Amino acid sequence: MIDKRAASAAAAVAAVDDGATVMIGGFGEAGSPIELVHALIDQGASELTVISNNAGNGQVGLAALIRCGRVAKIIGSYPRSSNSTVFTDFYRAGRIELELVPQGTLAERIRAGGAGIPAFYTPTGAATELADGKEQREFHGRPHLLEHALTADWALIKARAADWHGNLLYSKTARNFGPIMAMAAETTVVQASSVDAPGALDPETIVTPGIFVDRVVHVPDPAQEFELVAHGAHYP
């Protein structure tokens, strides 16, 4: 079996190209891979399309990536939250594009991408502005929209525990997007609080099998977004 441990976050994201599509895990703060995103800022890739549930908070993580001018487009559900001033400023200035997707639809588009399903119909968003330009069909007397699957060049996600082969366990709602993003990306990079030798994790509890993971970075004491925001932290 392949040892997928990377020497550092910087090494793990070194090959991200300009113009890449990057899925970034997180359900609000839960599952947000702060260290990997900061390494991506240092790496310098630009014109990125980011697929994420939200658009970051404060001046760290994804918000910092946007503030550095690296993100051309966001595909997500909650671009505005209590501390998401960076995205708001960039969007109003016409410096970033937004594709707004209902949260359940976003999750299903990512899951479909990982499962090899090109598109599906859903009633969510029908008869709203989100239906503009989309194919519609009626099922059981209700209008449905055709939604296309989402895939990415890269996924950056956060796990509670991993082993050398990339098998993953998550903390609580980090499971909402982490597992499906790992399946839908060409290259999946994971930061994990603990990285154990093969056999240390109970195979009955594995959420994401290592077949979907390419690189594992040990981050034993990951930054907590709410603490960074509360202290007014900036990155870089």
Side-chain angles (χ1 to χ4, degrees):
M1 296 290 287
I2 300 173
D3 185 343
K4 299 177 180 177
R5 290 176 295 174
S8 65
V13 301
V16 178
D17 293 324
D18 292 347
T21 297
V22 183
M23 291 180 173
I24 297 179
F27 184 68
E29 179 179 347
S32 179
I34 297 291
E35 284 76 11
L36 290 179
V37 176
H38 288 176
L40 184 59
I41 292 172
D42 296 341
Q43 187 261 15
S46 62
E47 292 298 311
L48 301 173
T49 294
V50 170
I51 300 170
S52 182
N53 185 54
N54 67 339
N57 292 291
Q59 304 287 328
V60 296
L62 177 52
L65 186 68
I66 295 171
R67 179 170 48 80
C68 290
R70 305 291 177 73
V71 182
K73 179 178 180 179
I74 286 277
I75 301 174
S77 297
Y78 288 92
R80 294 188 64 186
S81 56
S82 58
N83 294 298
S84 60
T85 57
V86 172
F87 171 81
T88 301
D89 291 344
F90 270 61
Y91 185 74
R92 287 175 174 169
R95 298 177 63 186
I96 192 169
E97 183 181 351
L98 171 65
E99 181 179 340
L100 190 63
V101 185
Q103 189 175 75
T105 302
L106 178 66
E108 182 61 10
R109 288 178 68 184
I110 296 169
R111 189 203 69 83
I117 299 169
F120 59 91
Y121 285 97
T122 175
T124 304
T128 73
E129 291 183 8
L130 296 180
D132 293 349
K134 295 180 180 178
E135 179 183 329
Q136 298 190 51
R137 288 185 61 183
E138 186 173 293
F139 295 92
H140 306 294
R142 297 182 65 189
H144 288 63
L145 305 179
L146 181 67
E147 296 283 359
H148 292 268
L150 288 170
T151 57
D153 303 302
W154 294 80
L156 308 182
I157 62 178
K158 179 181 180 181
R160 176 174 62 83
D163 64 18
W164 300 358
H165 302 325
N167 297 303
L168 306 179
L169 302 175
Y170 299 88
S171 177
K172 302 178 177 64
T173 55
R175 291 180 63 167
N176 285 16
F177 284 96
I180 55 177
M181 286 182 172
M183 294 176 63
E186 183 70 25
T187 301
T188 296
V189 181
V190 179
Q191 66 170 73
S193 299
S194 65
V195 180
D196 299 304
L201 302 181
D202 180 356
E204 295 296 333
T205 66
I206 298 300
V207 178
T208 296
I211 192 172
F212 296 116
V213 174
D214 299 281
R215 298 167 195 170
V216 176
V217 181
H218 187 201
V219 181
D221 187 22
Q224 301 299 315
E225 189 175 272
F226 78 94
E227 292 180 349
L228 296 176
V229 172
H231 287 91
H234 284 65
Y235 194 89

